[in-house]
């Protein structure tokens, strides 16, 4: 970068660029100081100094032209000398192939300008020269050439990229007569925008996204309702909620969105739709044929229905309703429209098929929220930056609140399901989510006739704030191009836990769903987010019966969750180990299969494919070192004789109760032949080992009993006591705390130990595995044990609480709960109660019980209905059903000192 402009300031700023962006080059050059501009210009060759030599065999015509141009060059040298004397700076111009007469004319035109104008002209010219030089370098020109070669390989005639780094946003566009302001079809990429708008739209109307769609339609006095399929329970139509629509879990089939009239029982087309808008994948009516909220299934109909509901409430087109939101998010000015027709006056990249042929314009007939949005990569990247900003900032970003962004980028329980099986990612609201070994990412992809697009943005980890949007003209070919470019950009961004491995594009190109291809061509390049592997050494004890285990060498076909302990531990040939000092990214490292708490499904499960099918006669289950805090209460083992799961599953071991730190041995009354094995962890928790045997030696066979007589046997030796990581101790005497409190500014944290706040009460298990006083420490938290961490509870109605006596009376404005190190162990819900007088009277609810699981790994700002209307001296934090948090802050107008 220094060689391009001979400016240290330019080189330092441009060194952080990922792609060559002409606009960014000019933006950096324009900020160079006058002094550095003069110095940088001095490194450039003086115009007119170049000496031309006439060939000896020149014709008379060539000699005449040479003499004329020599006279012009002499004039240029005189004017340049006069210019430099007048302005004190070398004359700078991007000459290129301009004839000498044009250069002379330019000098004479500029020589009458004021000096500050010429300094600006010099910076502009130097930016043009620098851009030309950078295109010739390996770092930037090579990158541009590389992208063009990828485009040529995949027959993509036009593409557009926008990249965000800590240095800012950069964009580039490739294609005939296209610029960074040219529109591409975004397809499904509109879904995150539609979701964010829905959060804002319904939030302003105090309509929960868990409200039934049919109820909202009824309140809007619409005459149509969502209906269940003829073969489904009729109540399924009413069970579809707004949240189901943005999570692809509505159970709606794609096709023609069918809405019944409750009075007539016949389909009706809403006012702001046309019949074509309902064609979202086929001619069949779209009805609820799967139980809402239970299964992920990609659904265009869900977003069509979302648009319909909003238009039913507003009685006007969605483009008009959403316009203020789009402006507030900064998207309209950069190029984004929800219109169904081409916006006049805009350049568009022509839609192309796999062979580069133009696609006729009829493709544009799509409902805006389905796949009818058009825009630039820069506009979509600006939107992603806004969602990330709202996710990180307690005060949100523009119209998007912090709570809404956290809910969008939250996958309940980290359980894998249909979305993960299809895409290798989990489903948030509007965005796909996938945690890698070191980062958390949000992603989405778009596909419509003639266009493909992808957005990837890091929201947490060492690469947070980095991301990109790629638009391309094409279809299956463009999809492979987008994935290839995404891999190159991840490499250039130096993304952690990423390796640009060789991928098999042949299977990806034949995918029937655009997003599936990215699992093979992009997601597979990231190291997944998993607990640490158990370190092994030659001295580790091996289970003598492992080689007889039918699960030996089995492969994992599916695992719903292994956030705390790797599922491979379940069939390890080594005896379980326990180290009191083992801690990792997810907390305590456990040598078992351990899933995270608060399972919103009936159970967690893993499916193993046996290396060698066989007959199961004996079952061994160990919960060694799984204490009563996290051992799973029940286990169920099922088998399947068909390797492709066409045959039904049957019980090998029915639902059976387990005990902590125990061994269960069962002899089956009827042997079961299996090729695949499914182990159900009910509802969640830890299991150390599962072995399945066909035969046992005489030594071990007597230990196994029929299920009716088998009971878990407690392991004799005790589990060593865990040594929690250290925290930063904070001790202060009352006099010093009072002095600090007297000088605390307005709105200071009244729940800080530095000012004299105290933890005065707690429920039985609130501090079972941590020091409760840490929740009011003034120091930043270090880990999960630095705060309030409760035991795992599965009892219905359970809750844990802690009471903090404040340093002074507060007129409550808000409470901040810090869950930084509780990515997996945040509670499901929380409630804030207050008491006007410390230790006296009844508790009053300040912040009603609300969902807070989505704040895991972040910070929540909980605001009472009437800010500043409640005076309190004590605050009670109640967690449902269990979990924990690191710190609490209580802020508001200050009252009298206690």
């Amino acid at each position: 970068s220094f060689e391009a402009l001979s400016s240290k300031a330019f080189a330092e700023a441009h060194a952080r660029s990922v792609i060559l962006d002409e606009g960014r080059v000019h933006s950096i050059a324009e900020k160079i100081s006058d002094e550095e501009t003069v110095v940088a210009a001095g490194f450039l060759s003086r115009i007119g100094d170049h000496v031309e030599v006439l060939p000896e065999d020149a014709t008379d015509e060539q000699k005449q032209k040479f003499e004329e141009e020599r006279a012009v060059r002499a004039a240029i040298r005189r004017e340049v000398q006069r210019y430099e004397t007048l302005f004190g700076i070398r004359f700078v111009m991007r000459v290129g192939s301009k004839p000498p007469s044009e250069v002379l004319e330019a000098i004479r035109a500029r020589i009458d300008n004021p000096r500050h104008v010429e300094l600006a002209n010099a910076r502009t010219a130097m930016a043009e020269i620098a851009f030309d030089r950078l295109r010739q370098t390996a770092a930037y020109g090579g990158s541009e050439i590389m992208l063009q070669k990828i485009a040529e390989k995949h027959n993509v005639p036009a593409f557009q990229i926008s990249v965000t780094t800590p240095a800012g946003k950069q964009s580039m566009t490739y294609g005939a007569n296209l610029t960074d302001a040219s529109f591409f079809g975004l397809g499904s990429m509109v879904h995150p925008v539609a979701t964010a708008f829905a959060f804002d739209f319904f939030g302003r109307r105090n309509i929960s996204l868990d409200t039934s769609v049919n109820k909202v339609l009824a309140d809007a006095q619409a005459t149509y309702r969502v209906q269940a399929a003829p073969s489904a329970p009729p109540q399924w139509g009413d069970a579809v909620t707004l949240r189901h629509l943005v999570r692809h879990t509505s159970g709606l089939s794609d096709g023609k969105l069918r809405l019944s009239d409750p009075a007539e029982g016949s389909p009706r087309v809403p006012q702001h739709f046309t019949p074509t808008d309902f064609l979202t994948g086929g001619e069949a009516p779209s009805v609820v044929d799967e139980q809402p909220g239970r299964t992920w299934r990609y659904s265009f109909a869900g977003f069509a229905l979302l648009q319909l509901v909003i238009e039913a409430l507003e009685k006007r087109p969605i483009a008009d309703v959403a316009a203020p939101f789009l402006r507030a998010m900064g998207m309209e000015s950069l190029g984004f429209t929800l219109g169904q027709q081409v916006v006049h006056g805009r350049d568009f990249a022509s839609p192309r098929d796999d062979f580069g042929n133009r696609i006729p314009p009829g493709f544009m007939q799509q409902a805006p929220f389905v796949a009818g949005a058009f825009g630039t990569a820069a506009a979509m990247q600006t939107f992603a930056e806004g969602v990330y900003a709202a996710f990180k900032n307690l005060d949100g970003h523009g119209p998007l609140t912090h709570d809404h962004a956290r809910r969008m980028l939250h996958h309940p329980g980290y359980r894998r399901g249909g979305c993960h099986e299809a895409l290798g990612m989990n489903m948030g609201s509007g965005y796909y989510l996938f945690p890698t070994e070191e980062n958390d990412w949000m992603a989405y992809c778009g596909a419509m006739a003639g266009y493909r697009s992808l957005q990837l943005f890091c929201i947490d980890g060492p690469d947070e704030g980095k991301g990109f949007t790629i638009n391309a003209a094409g279809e299956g070919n463009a999809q492979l191009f987008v994935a290839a470019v995404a891999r190159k950009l991840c490499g250039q961004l130096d993304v952690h836990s990423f390796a640009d491995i060789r991928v098999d594009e042949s299977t990806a190109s034949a995918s029937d769903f655009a997003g599936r291809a990215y699992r093979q061509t992009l997601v597979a390049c990231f190291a997944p987010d998993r607990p640490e592997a158990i370190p092994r050494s030659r001295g580790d004890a091996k289970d003598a019966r492992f080689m007889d285990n039918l699960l030996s060498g089995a492969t994992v076909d599916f695992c719903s969750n292994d956030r705390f302990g790797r599922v491979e531990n379940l069939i390890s040939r080594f005896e379980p180990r326990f180290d009191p000092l083992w801690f990792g990214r997810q907390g305590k490292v456990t040598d078992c299969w351990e899933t995270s708490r608060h399972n919103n499904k009936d159970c967690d499960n893993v499916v193993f494919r046996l290396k060698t099918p066989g007959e199961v006669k004996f079952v061994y289950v160990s919960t060694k070192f799984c204490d009563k805090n996290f051992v799973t209460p029940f286990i169920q083992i099922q088998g399947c004789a068909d390797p492709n799961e066409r045959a039904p599953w049957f019980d090998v071991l029915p639902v059976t109760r387990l005990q902590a730190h125990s061994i269960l041995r069962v002899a089956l009354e009827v042997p079961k032949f299996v090729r695949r094995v499914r182990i159900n962890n009910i509802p969640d928790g830890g299991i150390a080992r599962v072995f399945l045997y066909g035969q046992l030696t005489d030594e071990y066979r007597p230990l196994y009993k029929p299920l009716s007589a088998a009971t878990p046997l407690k392991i004799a030796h005790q589990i060593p006591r865990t040594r929690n990581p250290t925290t930063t101790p904070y001790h202060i005497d009352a006099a010093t705390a009072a002095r600090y409190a007297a000088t605390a500014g307005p709105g200071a944290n009244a729940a800080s130990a530095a000012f004299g706040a105290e933890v005065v009460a707690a429920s039985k298990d609130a501090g079972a595995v941590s020091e409760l006083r840490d929740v009011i420490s003034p120091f930043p938290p270090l880990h999960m044990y630095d705060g309030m961490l409760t035991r795992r509870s599965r009892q219905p109605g359970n809750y844990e609480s802690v009471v903090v006596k404040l340093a002074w009376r507060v007129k409550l404005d808000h409470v901040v709960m810090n869950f930084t190190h509780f990515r997996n162990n945040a509670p499901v819900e929380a409630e804030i109660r207050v008491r006007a007088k410390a230790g006296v009277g009844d508790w009053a609810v300040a912040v009603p019980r609300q969902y807070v699981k989505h704040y895991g790994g972040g910070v929540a700002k909980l605001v009472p209905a009437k800010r500043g209307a409640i005076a309190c001296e004590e605050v009670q934090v109640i967690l449902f059903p269990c979990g924990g948090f690191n710190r609490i802050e209580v802020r508001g107008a200050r009252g009298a000192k206690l």
Side-chain angles (χ1 to χ4, degrees):
S1 293
F2 182 82
E3 288 80 1
L5 196 59
S6 302
S7 163
K8 181 181 178 182
F10 177 87
E12 290 176 345
H14 197 266
R16 298 190 292 271
S17 299
V18 177
I19 58 177
L20 186 54
D21 177 353
E22 188 171 8
R24 178 167 170 77
V25 171
H26 279 266
S27 176
I28 296 172
E30 287 168 3
K31 297 174 183 176
I32 298 174
S33 67
D34 291 350
E35 292 76 15
E36 193 160 4
T37 300
V38 173
V39 173
F43 282 92
L44 298 173
S45 300
R46 181 179 282 108
I47 292 176
D49 279 359
H50 179 65
V51 178
E52 294 284 346
V53 178
L54 184 68
E56 293 183 1
D57 58 349
T59 64
D60 291 343
E61 184 178 351
Q62 289 174 328
K63 291 177 181 178
Q64 181 180 352
K65 185 177 180 181
F66 179 80
E67 290 300 326
E68 291 173 356
E69 289 185 353
R70 185 163 62 176
V72 174
R73 288 191 183 90
I76 288 174
R77 287 193 289 273
R78 290 194 299 271
E79 293 298 324
V80 164
Q81 187 174 6
R82 187 160 71 95
Y83 180 97
E84 294 178 359
T85 302
L86 182 62
F87 294 112
I89 181 175
R90 182 161 291 181
F91 177 76
V92 184
M93 179 181 176
R94 182 189 184 191
V95 175
S97 60
K98 294 182 179 68
S101 58
E102 188 176 332
V103 176
L104 179 60
E105 184 180 346
I107 299 173
R108 287 172 174 170
R110 286 171 50 180
I111 206 163
D112 294 327
N113 288 333
R115 187 173 189 272
H116 71 276
V117 172
E118 277 312 293
L119 286 167
N121 286 336
R123 282 188 281 267
T124 299
M126 286 193 292
E128 293 171 347
I129 295 168
F131 181 74
D132 287 343
R133 289 178 173 179
L134 287 168
R135 293 188 69 175
Q136 305 305 315
T137 65
Y140 295 106
S143 173
E144 186 176 23
I145 293 169
M146 172 197 68
L147 294 175
Q148 292 178 11
K149 285 184 177 180
I150 296 174
E152 291 170 2
K153 173 185 175 182
H154 294 288
N155 198 26
V156 171
F159 65 86
Q160 194 176 63
I161 300 172
S162 187
V163 181
T164 300
T165 68
K169 183 162 64 250
Q170 304 166 246
S171 300
M172 71 168 289
T173 301
Y174 171 78
N177 302 317
L178 298 178
T179 69
D180 290 348
S182 298
F183 275 25
F184 283 69
L186 298 175
S188 306
M189 284 275 282
V190 70
H191 293 174
V193 181
T195 301
F197 171 69
F199 271 103
D200 177 63
F201 178 86
F202 292 110
R204 292 178 186 275
R205 288 158 180 76
N206 294 317
I207 299 174
S208 168
L209 289 196
D210 295 315
T211 305
S212 164
V213 169
N214 279 347
K215 181 182 185 308
V216 179
L217 289 171
D219 292 344
Q221 299 182 339
T223 60
Y224 35 82
R225 302 289 184 271
V226 181
Q227 63 179 5
S231 60
Q235 62 268 28
W236 281 9
D238 289 336
V240 176
T241 69
L242 298 169
R243 195 179 307 279
H244 293 152
L245 303 182
V246 299
R247 288 181 53 80
H248 296 290
T249 56
S250 65
L252 279 166
S253 61
D254 272 335
K256 184 180 294 183
L257 187 64
R258 184 180 180 185
L259 300 159
S260 67
D261 188 311
E264 303 174 14
S266 60
R268 177 171 295 185
V269 177
Q271 178 182 357
H272 296 295
F273 276 67
T274 69
T276 309
D277 292 324
F278 293 134
L279 298 177
T280 57
E283 293 293 338
S286 180
V287 291
V288 182
D289 60 3
E290 291 190 358
Q291 184 177 350
R294 188 168 184 84
T295 305
W296 178 90
R297 183 175 65 183
Y298 194 86
S299 172
F300 289 115
F303 280 90
L305 184 56
L306 178 67
Q307 177 181 334
L308 183 146
V309 170
I310 294 172
E311 291 185 330
L313 287 167
E314 286 290 310
K315 308 296 189 293
R316 55 196 178 114
I318 195 67
D320 296 341
V321 182
F325 176 84
L326 299 177
R327 283 195 295 271
M329 291 295 290
M331 298 180 68
E332 271 196 345
S333 61
L334 290 171
F336 182 87
T337 177
L338 285 173
Q340 294 171 246
Q341 301 298 330
V342 173
V343 177
H344 295 292
R346 280 282 187 182
D347 290 328
F348 274 78
S350 298
R352 306 279 183 155
D353 63 18
D354 284 340
F355 304 101
N357 302 315
R358 292 176 185 266
I359 295 178
F363 74 97
M364 294 182 184
Q365 299 300 316
Q366 286 279 10
F369 272 13
V370 174
F374 298 84
T376 65
M380 287 305 299
Q381 195 63 11
T382 296
F383 173 76
E385 291 169 354
V387 174
Y388 166 69
F391 178 79
K392 286 294 182 179
N393 301 326
L394 283 177
D395 294 327
H397 175 80
L400 193 59
T401 69
H402 179 61
D403 181 71
H404 291 165
R406 299 289 312 191
R407 287 178 183 270
M408 285 182 66
L409 305 181
H410 170 63
H411 174 67
Y414 291 96
R415 264 73 193 178
R416 304 182 185 105
C419 182
H420 192 275
E421 288 187 82
L423 310 180
M425 297 180 276
N426 296 320
M427 189 71 235
S429 292
Y431 269 115
Y432 302 130
L433 310 171
F434 72 102
T436 65
E437 193 172 62
E438 296 174 81
N439 290 304
D440 285 342
W441 296 84
M442 64 182 187
Y444 215 74
C445 56
M448 62 188 296
Y451 297 111
R452 293 295 184 270
S453 54
L454 173 74
Q455 184 174 86
L456 192 65
F457 202 100
C458 184
I459 57 173
D460 195 39
D463 295 307
E464 67 176 62
K466 296 179 183 178
F468 49 81
T469 299
I470 307 169
N471 294 335
E475 298 197 303
N477 60 321
Q479 191 166 290
L480 297 176
F481 162 79
V482 167
V485 172
R487 295 194 301 271
K488 294 300 181 184
L489 290 176
C490 285
Q492 288 183 275
L493 288 167
D494 197 23
V495 167
H496 292 69
S497 307
F498 173 83
D500 190 2
I501 60 176
R502 183 179 294 276
V503 300
D504 182 6
E505 293 185 344
S506 61
T507 55
S509 61
S511 172
D512 60 342
F513 171 49
R516 295 182 195 273
Y518 295 121
R519 175 172 189 165
Q520 301 154 270
T521 57
L522 180 60
V523 178
C525 297
F526 290 86
D529 180 27
R530 305 199 64 201
E532 286 78 3
I534 303 300
R536 300 297 182 187
S537 62
R538 289 186 177 181
D540 287 350
K542 296 181 181 179
D543 193 301
R545 299 172 305 282
F546 175 76
M547 295 311 296
D548 299 323
N549 178 15
L550 290 173
L551 290 172
S552 173
T555 56
V556 178
D557 273 2
F558 173 78
C559 177
S560 64
N561 182 283
D562 61 349
R563 294 291 289 177
F564 288 155
R566 291 194 175 200
V567 71
E568 291 86 354
N569 296 336
L570 200 59
I571 58 173
S572 170
R573 68 180 185 273
F574 294 97
E575 286 282 354
R577 292 178 56 196
F578 183 86
D579 188 329
L581 298 177
W582 261 351
F583 288 90
R585 296 187 309 276
Q586 314 293 356
K588 186 75 184 72
V589 176
T590 56
D591 188 0
C592 66
W593 172 37
E594 185 185 357
T595 71
S596 58
R597 61 174 92 190
H598 306 151
N599 192 356
N600 56 357
K601 305 292 184 182
D602 296 333
C603 65
D604 280 313
N605 50 60
V606 57
V607 176
F608 289 106
R609 184 181 297 271
L610 271 59
K611 182 178 181 180
T612 304
E615 194 173 64
V616 181
K617 297 180 180 179
F618 304 94
V619 177
Y620 172 94
V621 180
S622 168
T623 60
K624 189 175 184 179
F625 300 125
C626 299
D627 65 22
K628 63 181 180 180
N629 176 40
F630 69 87
V631 67
T632 186
F634 299 93
I635 187 174
Q636 180 186 29
I637 302 176
Q638 297 177 300
C640 180
D642 190 319
N644 298 315
E645 205 175 330
R646 286 189 293 264
W649 290 93
F650 52 82
D651 277 351
V652 174
L653 181 71
V655 176
T656 303
R657 179 176 286 278
L658 297 179
Q659 300 292 337
H661 198 46
S662 302
I663 302 294
L664 175 68
R665 300 180 178 92
V666 178
L668 301 186
E669 296 181 10
V670 180
K672 303 293 178 71
F673 179 83
V674 295
R675 295 179 183 273
R676 302 173 81 219
V677 172
R678 180 165 66 193
I679 301 173
N680 295 328
N681 180 333
I682 308 171
D684 54 48
I687 307 170
R689 300 287 188 272
V690 172
F691 290 172
L692 305 177
Y693 300 112
Q695 298 293 335
L696 286 174
T697 63
D698 293 342
E699 177 186 1
Y700 292 108
R701 192 179 299 114
L703 300 175
Y704 288 76
K705 308 293 182 184
L707 181 60
S708 58
T711 57
L713 300 177
K714 196 76 174 178
I715 295 173
H717 59 81
Q718 297 295 313
I719 302 175
R721 181 177 175 82
T722 298
R723 301 177 191 175
N724 292 347
T726 58
T727 61
T728 306
Y730 185 80
H731 303 286
I732 189 171
D733 60 82
T736 304
R739 188 168 70 253
Y740 289 167
T743 58
N749 177 20
S752 173
F755 300 137
E758 302 174 69
V759 173
V760 294
S763 57
K764 179 182 177 182
D765 282 340
V769 285
S770 64
E771 293 289 344
L772 277 177
R773 65 172 181 266
D774 289 334
V775 300
I776 58 173
S777 170
F779 297 130
L782 302 177
H783 43 69
M784 184 172 61
Y785 297 88
D786 190 356
M788 172 180 171
L789 175 60
T790 76
R791 295 188 186 279
R792 190 186 298 234
S793 173
R794 304 179 185 89
Q795 295 298 320
N798 189 73
Y799 64 88
E800 305 293 347
S801 65
V802 61
V803 177
V804 176
K805 180 181 177 182
L806 304 179
W808 52 76
R809 182 178 288 108
V810 163
K811 290 184 177 180
L812 186 63
D813 182 78
H814 65 272
V815 174
V816 174
M817 293 184 69
N818 187 320
F819 299 100
T820 298
H821 298 288
F822 283 80
R823 285 169 52 97
N824 306 309
N825 281 331
V828 176
E829 297 174 309
E831 180 175 295
I832 306 295
R833 297 181 181 181
V834 297
R835 194 150 54 183
K837 184 73 173 175
V840 178
D842 296 329
W843 292 100
V845 176
V847 179
R849 181 173 174 174
Q850 61 182 257
Y851 189 78
V852 294
K853 190 74 175 175
H854 58 299
Y855 286 110
V859 180
K861 183 178 181 179
L862 306 180
V863 180
K866 295 183 178 179
R867 303 177 74 165
I870 304 174
C872 58
E873 295 181 355
E874 275 185 344
V875 169
Q876 182 184 41
V877 180
I878 306 176
L879 309 181
F880 302 91
C882 59
F885 64 99
N886 290 113
R887 298 287 187 270
I888 182 174
E889 299 175 17
V890 178
R891 299 184 184 274
R894 186 169 178 171
K897 180 73 176 73
L898 301 183

